[in-house]
Amino acid sequence: MAVHLAWAFVFGVLGNVVSFLVSLAPLPTFYLIYKKKTSEGFQSIPYVISLFSAMLWIYYALLKKDAMLLITINTFCVFIQTFYIVAYFYYAPNKEKVEVVKLILLFNVFGFGAIFFSTFFLPNPLTRLQILGYICMAFSLCVFVAPLGILRKVIKTKSVEYMPFTLSVFLTLGAVMWFFYGLLLKDMNIAVPNVLGFFFGILQMILYAIYKNHPKKMVEDPKLQLSVQHMVVDVVKLGSTVNNNHDHDDNNGGVQNIKVNTIDASNKV
């Protein structure tokens, strides 16, 4: 048992390192927002969802009592996602500020509050933990399905300009680390979603190898790309298979939007 716990610690630390790096990926985009003094054209939902995910996993880890490495990475994710949201809000037009407030109330206040109060006061601690674990796992699985849209777009356009190889590799590695962490702790709520994360990560890398030499094509509707990417944020912490664009093209609002939204899945178990 001691050997299993030691290996779980190793994989948890590695998962923390990978998720930490992925969570920092939006910083160049926010530097661009700072330089332009506006967040117009970008969207806040990836960061709100990432914050919601981190809050859920911290709550789960606190109830579980033996998952300190979940607490460490998600505490950092709460901090960095809060920073992103505040920065976005500061530079957002008034209309977008209203949307940010609505999203925070919906997910981080009422959504998290409903989950907390419906589970915390359950008399059986084991039942409480199981229900919360199912909620976290279901949320993570839904997020991992989101990349199907970008994969379809890659095949349709025969272009990988919205699917950088490096981030796909890191997110796949994150899925592997968190899978073994959950497996060694015998926690399927952590392990199971990362099986899907690993599968989509490998699929992304295969598609990248197939289409990397094709000329870039502009997508017909960048906002469609953007809406697909929104769901990906969240759950970097579980090794999300999200896509990001590292090309900084000031003249292409669609590319910038996608770049913002692909990153925050990073965070977070």
Side-chain angles (χ1 to χ4, degrees), residues 95-255:
K95 182 179 179 181
E96 294 301 321
K97 289 181 178 179
V98 173
E99 292 301 316
V100 173
V101 173
K102 288 180 179 179
L103 288 171
I104 291 175
L105 290 175
L106 176 62
F107 288 100
N108 307 107
V109 178
F110 297 116
F112 181 79
I115 293 172
F116 177 84
F117 286 109
S118 63
T119 57
F120 186 78
F121 297 103
L122 291 174
N124 189 326
L126 181 59
T127 302
R128 181 194 315 153
L129 186 64
Q130 286 178 336
I131 293 175
L132 182 60
Y134 291 147
I135 292 173
C136 291
M137 182 168 62
F139 181 78
S140 299
L141 287 171
C142 290
V143 170
F144 286 144
V145 172
L148 287 175
I150 188 63
L151 296 181
R152 183 179 67 86
K153 184 63 68 176
V154 168
I155 296 172
K156 182 178 179 180
T157 63
K158 295 181 172 56
S159 171
V160 294
E161 69 175 303
Y162 301 114
M163 193 176 69
F165 183 76
T166 303
L167 188 62
S168 297
V169 171
F170 272 96
L171 291 171
T172 303
L173 288 175
V176 172
M177 302 308 168
W178 288 115
F179 168 77
F180 281 109
Y181 176 78
L183 185 66
L184 291 168
L185 290 181
K186 299 181 180 180
D187 190 330
M188 294 300 103
N189 296 318
I190 299 174
V192 169
N194 285 285
V195 175
L196 193 60
F198 175 77
F199 171 77
F200 281 125
I202 294 298
L203 184 57
Q204 287 180 63
M205 288 187 282
I206 292 174
L207 287 178
Y208 187 92
I210 294 174
Y211 295 114
K212 65 179 181 178
N213 294 322
H214 284 258
K216 293 183 178 180
K217 295 182 179 180
M218 293 301 299
V219 294
E220 304 83 0
D221 185 0
K223 291 187 177 181
L224 176 61
Q225 271 292 57
L226 183 62
S227 65
V228 171
Q229 298 297 338
H230 285 166
M231 287 302 297
V232 178
V233 199
D234 52 85
V235 181
V236 167
K237 286 78 85 179
L238 274 178
S240 318
T241 55
V242 60
N243 309 288
N244 174 42
N245 185 353
H246 291 289
D247 294 328
H248 292 283
D249 186 347
D250 289 348
N251 298 320
N252 189 331
V255 172

Side-chain angles (χ1 to χ4, degrees), residues 22-28 30 33 44 47 50 76-90 263-264 266-267:
V22 175
S23 296
L24 293 178
L27 286 176
F30 277 88
I33 290 175
S44 61
Y47 314 106
S50 291
F76 172 75
C77 285
V78 167
F79 169 78
I80 195 67
Q81 299 304 327
T82 300
F83 169 78
Y84 292 151
I85 292 170
V86 171
Y88 179 93
F89 185 86
Y90 182 81
I263 301 297
D264 295 286
S266 55
N267 349 154

